[in-house]
Amino acid sequence: MRVFGVTGWKNAGKTGLVERLVSEITGRGFSVSTVKHAHHAVDVDQTGTDSFRHREAGASEVLLASGKRIAVMQELRGAPEPPLADLLARLLPVDLVLIEGFKRESHPKVEAFRAEAGNALMAPENSTIRAVASDTPLQVQVPVFDLDNTAAVADFILKEVGL
C-alpha cells in the first residue's frame, strides 16, 4: 500500500491540508484512506448508546454496522498503542493512505508550516520530510509549496508514490 504523511506542529494546518488533499486526490479518481494520530484520549462513541454500553461492560472490540458505515472500536485496556504498520494492516486496500501525525515514523512526509504558530521548522532535522507546505516563503533543502496550493502538493505526493 502506498503511504504518504502530513506532519507538523500543533496549529500548523495539518488537518486542513489532509482534508483538502483527500478531496483533491479522490477527485482525480484515486481511492484514499487516512490514519490520524491523536495525543489524547479519543472517543467516537456516545455515552448511553448500545455500543458504548458494550465497551463499558468490557468488550475488547465493538463493531457497529449500519447501511451507511461501519465503525470498529477497540479498547486497548492498558496495552501499548499499536505500531503504525499494524494500523495500516487493518485498512482495506486503496490507492493511497494519507497519514496525519506519526512524525517519528519512517514513511515520507510533507510538513505543514504556519509562521504564526511560532514553531521551528522540522524539515532541516527530519530526513523523512520530502517537502514543506508553508504560508510563507522558506529557504530549505526540500521543495516548498504554498500551503493553500493543494493541487501542487497533491501533484508532488502522487509523483512521489508513483501514482
Side-chain angles (χ1 to χ4, degrees):
M1 201 164 356
R2 294 172 173 99
V3 300
F4 208 91
V6 174
T7 195
W9 300 112
K10 184 176 180 170
N11 298 319
K14 298 179 300 293
T15 300
L17 180 57
V18 170
E19 180 182 9
R20 294 188 311 274
L21 285 169
V22 169
S23 181
E24 176 73 24
I25 295 170
T26 59
R28 297 181 188 192
F30 296 104
S31 57
V32 178
S33 290
T34 65
V35 175
K36 160 80 171 125
H37 191 258
H39 292 285
H40 49 81
V42 295
D43 197 345
V44 296
D45 212 355
Q46 300 296 313
T47 302
T49 61
D50 292 350
S51 54
F52 182 91
R53 292 170 60 194
H54 294 183
R55 288 189 306 117
E56 287 295 302
S60 295
E61 266 187 337
V62 175
L63 189 145
L64 183 60
S66 75
K68 297 223 180 245
R69 71 188 47 87
I70 297 168
V72 178
M73 292 164 282
Q74 183 181 45
E75 294 297 312
L76 294 178
R77 303 209 189 279
E81 182 178 339
L84 179 58
D86 291 358
L87 300 174
L88 291 170
R90 295 174 182 219
L91 297 175
L92 295 173
V94 292
D95 295 316
L96 176 65
V97 178
L98 291 174
I99 301 168
E100 182 179 339
F102 292 94
K103 64 178 139 282
R104 291 176 184 85
E105 295 286 337
S106 64
H107 60 279
K109 302 167 193 70
V110 61
E111 178 179 356
F113 180 82
R114 279 201 181 118
E116 69 183 31
N119 294 308
L121 194 62
M122 285 189 229
E125 307 299 322
N126 186 332
S127 64
T128 67
I129 295 175
R130 305 288 199 262
V132 178
S134 174
D135 66 350
T136 188
L138 298 170
Q139 295 295 320
V140 291
Q141 299 299 315
V142 296
V144 177
F145 299 96
D146 185 305
L147 183 59
D148 294 323
N149 191 344
T150 308
V153 177
D155 289 343
F156 177 81
I157 290 171
L158 292 172
K159 183 178 179 186
E160 285 285 302
V161 300
L163 289 175

